[in-house]
């Protein structure tokens, strides 16, 4: 059985430096992409988890800017913390279980949630 196609975003950091917070995956899942879901970010999340969100958003912004991008090898778990708020579907219909699904940063919502990423 052939693995599903998955774009690899060359140069995108694999993880938050000096942590185990993963930003990308190495290879596609044999049974297909893990579905993206909108995970609720509660105010009492650990500071390390919040730093991972900021670091991931910073990488997304530096790599893609305001342009649509393919999900590809971006980690579904990490994307799900931003999905439906700062990262939204860039196509209709949207398939949350596709490596080829197009996403984009909702710049206004991302600026409000992560002002440090967008200053300067």
């Amino acid at each position: 059985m052939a693995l599903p196609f998955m774009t690899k975003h060359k140069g995108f950091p694999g993880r938050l430096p000096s942590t185990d917070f993963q930003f990308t995956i190495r290879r596609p899942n044999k049974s297909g992409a893990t579905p993206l879901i909108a995970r609720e970010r509660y105010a009492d999340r650990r500071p390390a988890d919040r730093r991972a969100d900021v670091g991931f958003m910073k990488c997304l912004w530096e790599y893609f800017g305001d342009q649509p991008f393919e999900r590809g090898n971006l980690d579904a778990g990490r994307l799900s913390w931003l999905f439906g708020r700062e990262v939204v579907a860039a196509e209709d219909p949207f398939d949350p279980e596709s490596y080829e699904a197009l996403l984009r940063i909702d710049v206004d919502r991302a600026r409000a949630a992560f002002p440090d990423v967008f200053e300067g």
Side-chain angles (χ1 to χ4, degrees):
M1 178 180 172
L3 290 176
F5 175 76
M6 177 182 77
T7 297
K8 290 195 174 186
H9 299 294
K10 302 287 184 193
F12 196 92
R15 61 185 60 248
L16 183 65
S18 303
T19 73
D20 288 330
F21 289 107
Q22 183 172 309
F23 289 174
T24 62
I25 59 175
R26 292 183 185 189
R27 65 188 70 79
N29 187 339
K30 291 177 185 172
S31 60
T34 301
L36 294 179
I37 58 169
R39 290 186 174 170
E40 189 65 38
R41 289 194 316 255
Y42 295 103
D44 64 349
R45 285 183 73 212
R46 296 178 323 161
D49 292 322
R50 284 192 231 130
R51 282 192 303 274
D53 292 341
V54 170
F56 188 59
M57 176 52 70
K58 183 175 189 217
C59 291
L60 289 173
W61 181 247
E62 289 173 354
Y63 201 89
F64 301 112
D66 62 357
Q67 299 303 303
F69 58 92
E70 197 169 303
R71 172 188 174 173
N73 69 328
L74 299 176
D75 182 68
R78 186 60 41 208
L79 271 172
S80 289
W81 288 111
L82 307 177
F83 185 67
R85 289 175 298 275
E86 298 85 13
V87 175
V88 295
E91 60 187 352
D92 186 26
F94 177 76
D95 182 358
E97 296 183 38
S98 172
Y99 290 116
E100 297 174 352
L102 291 179
L103 302 164
R104 68 174 178 80
I105 295 172
D106 182 326
V107 178
D108 292 335
R109 291 184 81 181
R111 278 185 204 278
F114 303 104
D116 295 346
V117 171
F118 296 90
E119 66 183 25

